[in-house]
Amino acid sequence: MATTYANISSATTTTLITKGSGVSGSISKITIANHDDSDSNTIQLHLYDGSSVTYVIAETVIPARATLVLEDNVSFNSGLYNLRLITSSTADTTVIIK
């Protein structure tokens, strides 16, 4: 899979990989960095089928100036699911998917 990057600076839902887009769900690592100087960010990383089924991969608070690295069992079928990230604050957050 080619490396995917996203910068997020609002409380929002961001689709990182869209199902059926041709971007592979064959992932070896997801890095989510909160590079805000003072605000923490509650995140939920999940798979979403586009209607009602959601599978949560990670749900946690990332403190200011901290990074979450996921390396175990993060691949998924990108023909069936979107990979989405929900953020709770305006903390500057960067996502890198390899």
Side-chain angles (χ1 to χ4, degrees):
M1 168 180 181
T3 303
T4 302
Y5 302 92
N7 287 312
I8 304 164
S9 59
S10 63
T12 188
T13 300
T14 303
T15 301
L16 302 169
I17 297 176
T18 303
K19 74 177 181 177
S21 67
V23 177
S24 171
S26 179
I27 298 170
S28 61
K29 181 190 283 189
I30 301 173
T31 303
I32 305 171
N34 178 357
H35 49 92
D36 196 274
D37 288 327
S38 59
D39 295 330
S40 64
N41 199 349
T42 301
I43 62 101
Q44 183 187 80
L45 183 68
H46 65 260
L47 301 176
Y48 177 65
D49 74 351
S51 62
S52 62
V53 176
T54 301
Y55 299 102
V56 177
I57 297 169
E59 186 169 6
T60 191
V61 175
I62 301 176
R65 301 302 230 178
T67 301
L68 172 68
V69 178
L70 303 171
E71 297 180 292
D72 190 26
N73 297 317
V74 291
S75 291
F76 69 100
N77 185 338
S78 58
L80 298 176
Y81 300 102
N82 295 311
L83 179 65
R84 300 194 321 177
L85 181 73
I86 299 173
T87 53
S88 69
S89 76
T90 59
D92 292 327
T93 303
T94 299
V95 181
I96 301 172
I97 302 171
K98 292 183 177 185

